[in-house]
Amino acid sequence: MINSDSNIKLDSSWLSYLEKEFNQPYMQALKAFLVNEKDQGKTILPKGNQWFNALNSTPLESVKVVILGQDPYPTVGHAHGLCFSVQPEVKPLPKSLLNINKELADDLGVNNQHTGNLQPWAEQGVLLLNAVLTVEAGKTNAHQNKGWEQFTDAVIQTINDQTEHTVFILWGAYAQKKGKMIDRNKHLVIESPHPSPLSAYRGFFGSKPFSKANQYLLENHRSAIDWQLP
């Protein structure tokens, strides 16, 4: 829908609420930007058929938890459309993901050091959404302020409006600012510093987001997430 060459398809549960976004001027400008970048020979990550992987892996009616990231990994072969997640063969794991795994082990005794592929979380109802869905290879934040943020705001607004008792996990100031539209009387918002090595020791470690999320889900008659990766 952004680039016809990429054969992008969006799950119908999301499309019914977000289809109007694709006709907005900001999205047309984003499309023009991405086409121009490609025409200049720049490598856009992840691959076009993975731009909407988060939404296609976690249909709207399945969303239980939202983890909000910033933009995709800029290293070729890492990003596949889920925030913080890398493709199965990637070693060593990115440092933020190593810290997420450390907190998960401390929180629930879950050992996920063997993999950084979070696809099984997405398929259980954990929406792993980046605020910006593409990046230029080798250039972190290269596609910020090009339109993706407005689109993902619409995603968050849709979840806020159309679901009940969803957990939003917001790590770092960027994610917390983007979460301003969430109704905290209707959903649980868990906030802490970002898991990056620069900030993890300022309160991310020990924040226990995974057990808090599961406790809230169970208290509201929703099934818990199995955070253990295969």
Side-chain angles (χ1 to χ4, degrees):
M1 291 174 182
I2 298 290
N3 181 347
S4 58
D5 294 338
S6 301
N7 192 30
I8 291 169
K9 301 200 182 302
L10 188 61
D11 183 87
S12 60
S13 67
W14 293 107
L15 191 59
S16 59
Y17 295 99
L18 299 173
E19 188 169 22
K20 62 184 181 298
E21 299 298 319
F22 291 94
N23 297 318
Q24 297 296 318
Y26 82 86
M27 190 62 88
Q28 298 302 312
L30 174 60
K31 176 180 178 180
F33 166 75
L34 293 170
V35 169
N36 184 60
E37 292 290 282
K38 186 176 180 181
D39 288 348
Q40 291 184 42
K42 296 179 181 179
T43 299
I44 297 175
L45 302 176
K47 294 186 292 186
N49 63 1
Q50 295 177 326
W51 293 355
F52 296 103
N53 188 24
L55 299 176
N56 290 331
S57 297
T58 313
L60 177 59
E61 65 272 11
S62 300
V63 174
K64 298 177 186 176
V65 178
V66 179
I67 297 178
L68 189 60
Q70 195 155 339
D71 69 339
Y73 294 118
T75 303
V76 174
H78 282 206
H80 63 119
L82 305 179
C83 73
F84 295 105
S85 181
V86 290
Q87 302 199 55
E89 63 276 8
V90 172
K91 299 286 182 186
L93 300 184
K95 291 179 181 178
S96 290
L97 186 52
L98 285 172
N99 285 339
I100 290 170
N101 284 343
K102 183 178 186 299
E103 176 60 22
L104 183 54
D106 291 343
D107 185 6
L108 290 173
V110 170
N111 184 349
N112 282 341
Q113 298 294 349
H114 60 290
T115 181
N117 186 278
L118 307 182
Q119 188 75 35
W121 290 2
E123 292 168 3
Q124 289 185 72
V126 182
L127 181 68
L128 297 164
L129 182 68
N130 276 314
V132 176
L133 300 187
T134 60
V135 72
E136 180 184 345
K139 294 188 177 181
T140 301
N141 300 331
H143 292 180
Q144 280 196 346
N145 301 316
K146 302 297 183 183
W148 280 126
E149 292 93 341
Q150 191 168 339
F151 177 77
T152 52
D153 276 353
V155 173
I156 294 170
Q157 190 67 62
T158 298
I159 299 166
N160 181 73
D161 295 347
Q162 302 300 325
T163 72
E164 300 281 347
H165 305 305
T166 296
V167 181
F168 291 82
I169 298 177
L170 307 179
W171 290 325
Y174 183 89
Q176 289 158 19
K177 182 178 178 181
K178 195 169 174 68
K180 62 186 180 297
M181 66 193 74
I182 301 166
D183 182 349
R184 298 175 188 229
N185 294 314
K186 185 180 180 186
H187 306 290
L188 176 65
V189 177
I190 299 172
E191 298 179 320
S192 80
H194 195 276
S196 79
L198 296 175
S199 58
Y201 287 94
R202 298 175 188 164
F204 172 76
F205 290 134
S207 60
K208 301 188 179 301
F210 308 100
S211 60
K212 288 176 181 176
N214 277 352
Q215 180 181 353
Y216 178 83
L217 292 171
L218 292 170
E219 286 173 352
N220 288 282
H221 311 292
R222 306 192 75 184
S223 57
I225 303 298
D226 180 1
W227 298 102
Q228 178 67 63
L229 295 170

